[in-house]
Amino acid sequence: MHRAEETRGLTGGGVPSLKVEPSSLDFAAVSAPSQSVTVTAVNVEWEVRVSDTASAWLKAEKTDGTTVTVSVTDNGTPEQRTGSFTVVPTNNEDVKAKSVTVVQTGERRGV
């Protein structure tokens, strides 16, 4: 590996890889605080893409080179909803994208 490749702001040397932890998140129906996913990228640049089916209520933003901050809007329905976002390599087609599943409970109505 060339010295220039080691200093491009990517994590370490070695075989390009991408890992996310955790691979799923659970949120309360209302007033749910944001949560974080840690991304470990070795010689891979990446971006975040929220699934079209969840984009109205799920927000996932790359906040630095190792973190995605995830937040949801309140779920005023009694139904649980599930969505996802994907951490996608932008400079290496050989590295597989990693998906994170997001589940938000439904709002409980009066008993």
Side-chain angles (χ1 to χ4, degrees):
M1 177 176 289
H2 299 212
R3 176 67 56 195
E5 290 176 318
E6 292 177 14
T7 59
R8 289 192 334 204
L10 305 174
T11 305
V15 177
S17 64
L18 190 62
K19 182 172 130 182
V20 295
E21 289 184 87
S23 60
S24 64
L25 297 172
D26 294 307
F27 285 88
V30 295
S31 302
S34 63
Q35 298 183 46
S36 295
V37 171
T38 300
V39 178
T40 304
V42 177
N43 292 324
V44 176
E45 294 174 14
W46 54 276
E47 66 183 18
V48 179
R49 297 181 189 160
V50 175
S51 64
D52 290 341
T53 56
S55 62
W57 59 272
L58 171 62
K59 184 176 180 181
E61 292 184 303
K62 181 177 181 178
T63 49
D64 61 33
T66 62
T67 307
V68 176
T69 300
V70 184
S71 58
V72 295
T73 61
D74 288 351
N75 183 2
T77 72
E79 290 81 30
Q80 170 181 294
R81 55 188 179 186
T82 302
S84 66
F85 65 90
T86 306
V87 176
V88 181
T90 59
N91 67 336
N92 190 321
E93 294 177 1
D94 295 330
V95 176
K96 292 191 185 306
K98 303 294 182 186
S99 291
V100 176
T101 301
V102 178
V103 177
Q104 184 179 26
T105 60
E107 183 179 32
R108 289 193 177 152
R109 307 274 168 140
V111 178

